[in-house]
Amino acid sequence: MTDTPTATLLLVDDEPHVLAALQRELRHEGYRLLTANDGEAALAHLATEPVDAVISDALMPGMDGIEMLARIQHEHPDCLRLLLTGKADLNAAVRAINEGHVYRYIAKPWDATELRQTLQLALAHQQAQREQQRLEALTQDQNRELSELNATLERRVAERTAELQQTADMLDAAYGELEQSYVTATRVFSSLITQRLPKDLQTNATVSELLKAFADQHELDEETQRDLQMAAALYNLGKLTWNDHLLTAPSERLYAADRDAYRRYPESGESLLMALEHLEGTAKIIRHHRERWNGSGYPDHLREHAIPYGARLLALAVDFVELQRGMILPRKVPRHSVLALLEKFAGRVYDPALVAPFVELCVEHAPDLGLGGKKVLSLETARLEPGMQLAQDLLSPSGTLLLNRGKALSRSLIDKLMRLEELEDVRLELLVHPPEATEDEP
């Protein structure tokens, strides 16, 4: 027998000797035993203290056992109900079981072992039900707590997401401001270079127009376009360290120390940009834009595709502009002749895969002339036609202005130009817009 009762039993019978017999049978089973001699007394016990099981006689004066157990079922549904009944009351006991009033019935006279086993099974079943209910309640509590936790977590995630988005927006704004500061710095540097050069040697804007047009036509990615535009503005940044006489001297006429100083300007430009991490791609283009396809360039003698793509493209644009301005050879080279030179040196100085599309761009759209994408042709006088319009000022070999840009050509004007060629023994090449098509023409 254990010190702590395993269950509280209420024994109900109107006959004292039956109650005494039940107590004798169960006193050693570890139960706490309560007794009542009628239904009213039993219900009074249940109203004041917890009872695990009730064993009641079926036939009692006043409120019989079946009626009492029915009330217990209604008022204390967790309490086990067992009915003591003789053979004469067997039908009533079966009805009580079927109607759910009792868990089991015990026949009189009872067998002591069967009585104990029936009680043990009933209480074990009750304990299992209680444990199931406890676990279900615990599960419900845990589910409720989990739902509350999920709701709290979702709210916290939403709040954190909003904070992160706000931070990202602030970073985007800061990055935009930083990028704009780089652009502003680029413009400042470019203006410093421009101020040191004569007007006809200020090439950055023209180089930029060429690269922008090429990038747009070939749909280069945004990062490459940005690096090219920065490089166009800053490619001659290293020339700021030169003496004035170097700024205006054609590069092919430089010798000894002057030539060495000239060859260092791509490296100097890169060095001046090293502290600006955002311009790392730009600095790399500037360093290598004097490399040559065959490896004979400088400063690192790179060849072919080892030369960065942007540097190969910048080299074409710079040479195209500077040859026309007299910055490379001792004389200014006509535009059409420069294009021919680019094609001639494709595969030696320039990337052959870039030369063809670059020349086509310059011939068809002439972005360096600021023509807004209008078609332009480079023609000898014999191929000129009335209605064509000059796309560029026409200068004589001595530099005298012959015709202004925008001048419409007539037959008599074309004939005069041809006679001038015969008298001066020169060949003129004109940049012209073709006549505008009429409604009847394709």
Side-chain angles (χ1 to χ4, degrees), residues 120 169 194 204 228 232 235 268 275 300 360 363 388 406 430 432:
Q120 290 172 357
D169 292 342
T194 300
N204 299 82
L228 281 171
Y235 77 90
S268 299
D300 299 318
E360 180 183 356
V363 170
M388 291 181 172
L430 285 74
V432 297

Side-chain angles (χ1 to χ4, degrees), residues 26 44 50 55 75 80-81 96 121 161-162 164 178 195 235 263 307-308 325 352 381-382 384 400 431 439:
L26 300 174
I55 302 175
E75 297 173 9
L80 274 172
R81 300 167 300 282
L121 289 173
T161 300
L164 290 174
L178 179 61
Q195 289 176 16
Y235 77 90
R263 285 175 172 265
I307 307 170
R325 305 287 180 91
T381 54
L384 298 175
T400 304
L431 293 176
E439 293 183 1

Side-chain angles (χ1 to χ4, degrees), residues 4-114:
T4 303
T6 57
T8 298
L9 305 183
L10 175 59
L11 309 177
V12 185
D13 200 299
D14 60 323
E15 297 182 18
H17 70 276
V18 174
L19 288 177
L22 286 172
Q23 287 178 299
R24 283 194 303 272
E25 294 290 351
L26 300 174
R27 70 177 59 177
H28 300 298
E29 298 301 314
Y31 304 129
R32 176 173 173 249
L33 300 176
L34 305 175
T35 60
N37 55 14
D38 60 33
E40 294 295 339
L43 292 174
H45 270 300
L46 287 166
T48 58
E49 57 184 316
V51 174
D52 295 299
V54 174
I55 302 175
S56 175
D57 187 24
L59 298 176
M60 292 186 297
M63 183 188 304
D64 67 14
I66 294 176
E67 181 184 355
M68 181 197 69
L69 293 177
R71 286 188 58 180
I72 293 174
Q73 177 200 21
H74 177 71
E75 297 173 9
H76 306 281
D78 292 336
C79 182
L80 274 172
R81 300 167 300 282
L82 294 95
L83 186 66
L84 284 171
T85 181
K87 291 183 178 179
D89 304 318
L90 186 58
N91 290 334
V94 171
R95 178 173 60 83
I97 292 173
N98 291 338
E99 293 176 1
H101 301 329
V102 298
Y103 172 74
R104 288 285 297 275
Y105 78 90
I106 301 171
K108 289 181 179 180
W110 62 78
D111 178 80
T113 301
E114 182 182 357

Side-chain angles (χ1 to χ4, degrees), residues 175 179 215 219-231 277-282 284-285 309-310:
Y175 181 82
E179 190 172 38
E219 298 180 348
L220 301 185
D221 64 84
E222 184 177 344
E223 182 179 358
T224 300
Q225 290 197 45
R226 184 183 65 247
D227 288 343
L228 281 171
Q229 285 301 299
M230 295 286 193
E277 183 179 347
H278 186 72
L279 296 181
E280 181 179 351
T282 298
K284 187 176 181 181
I285 291 173
Y309 175 86

Side-chain angles (χ1 to χ4, degrees), residues 228-413:
L228 281 171
Q229 285 301 299
M230 295 286 193
L234 299 174
Y235 77 90
N236 48 15
L237 179 62
K239 296 178 182 180
L240 285 175
T241 61
W242 288 359
N243 294 324
D244 288 346
H245 79 279
L246 279 176
L247 292 173
T248 57
S251 60
E252 292 300 317
R253 296 189 65 179
L254 298 175
Y255 299 98
D258 287 345
R259 189 170 185 82
D260 290 341
Y262 179 88
R263 285 175 172 265
R264 286 195 298 270
Y265 90 85
E267 293 176 90
S268 299
E270 180 200 33
S271 298
L272 290 170
L273 298 176
M274 283 181 61
L276 301 176
E277 183 179 347
H278 186 72
L279 296 181
E280 181 179 351
T282 298
K284 187 176 181 181
I285 291 173
I286 290 173
R287 177 182 179 86
H288 297 297
H289 80 279
R290 285 303 181 190
E291 306 283 0
R292 292 183 174 180
W293 186 252
N294 62 7
S296 63
Y298 52 88
D300 299 318
H301 305 292
L302 301 182
R303 61 184 298 128
E304 299 186 0
H305 291 97
I307 307 170
Y309 175 86
R312 285 178 265 146
L313 185 55
L314 178 61
L316 276 169
V318 169
D319 284 0
F320 175 67
V321 175
E322 292 192 352
L323 279 166
Q324 294 180 71
R325 305 287 180 91
M327 299 172 68
I328 297 176
L329 299 176
R331 59 183 177 83
K332 294 181 179 180
V333 182
R335 188 176 187 276
H336 67 278
S337 298
V338 173
L339 293 174
L341 284 173
L342 297 183
E343 293 177 322
K344 177 180 179 180
F345 287 102
R348 284 186 285 173
V349 176
Y350 310 111
D351 179 353
L354 287 178
V355 169
F358 183 83
V359 170
E360 180 183 356
L361 173 74
C362 294
V363 170
E364 294 293 330
H365 303 288
D368 55 307
L369 301 180
L371 303 176
K374 293 176 64 177
K375 186 177 180 65
V376 63
L377 304 174
S378 179
L379 301 176
E380 298 176 353
T381 54
R383 297 177 59 196
L384 298 175
E385 297 177 6
M388 291 181 172
Q389 189 179 60
L390 278 179
Q392 188 181 46
D393 291 345
L394 177 63
L395 304 177
S396 70
S398 63
T400 304
L401 178 64
L402 298 177
L403 294 173
N404 289 318
R405 172 184 170 183
K407 180 69 175 178
L409 300 180
S410 62
R411 172 48 58 190
S412 62
L413 190 53

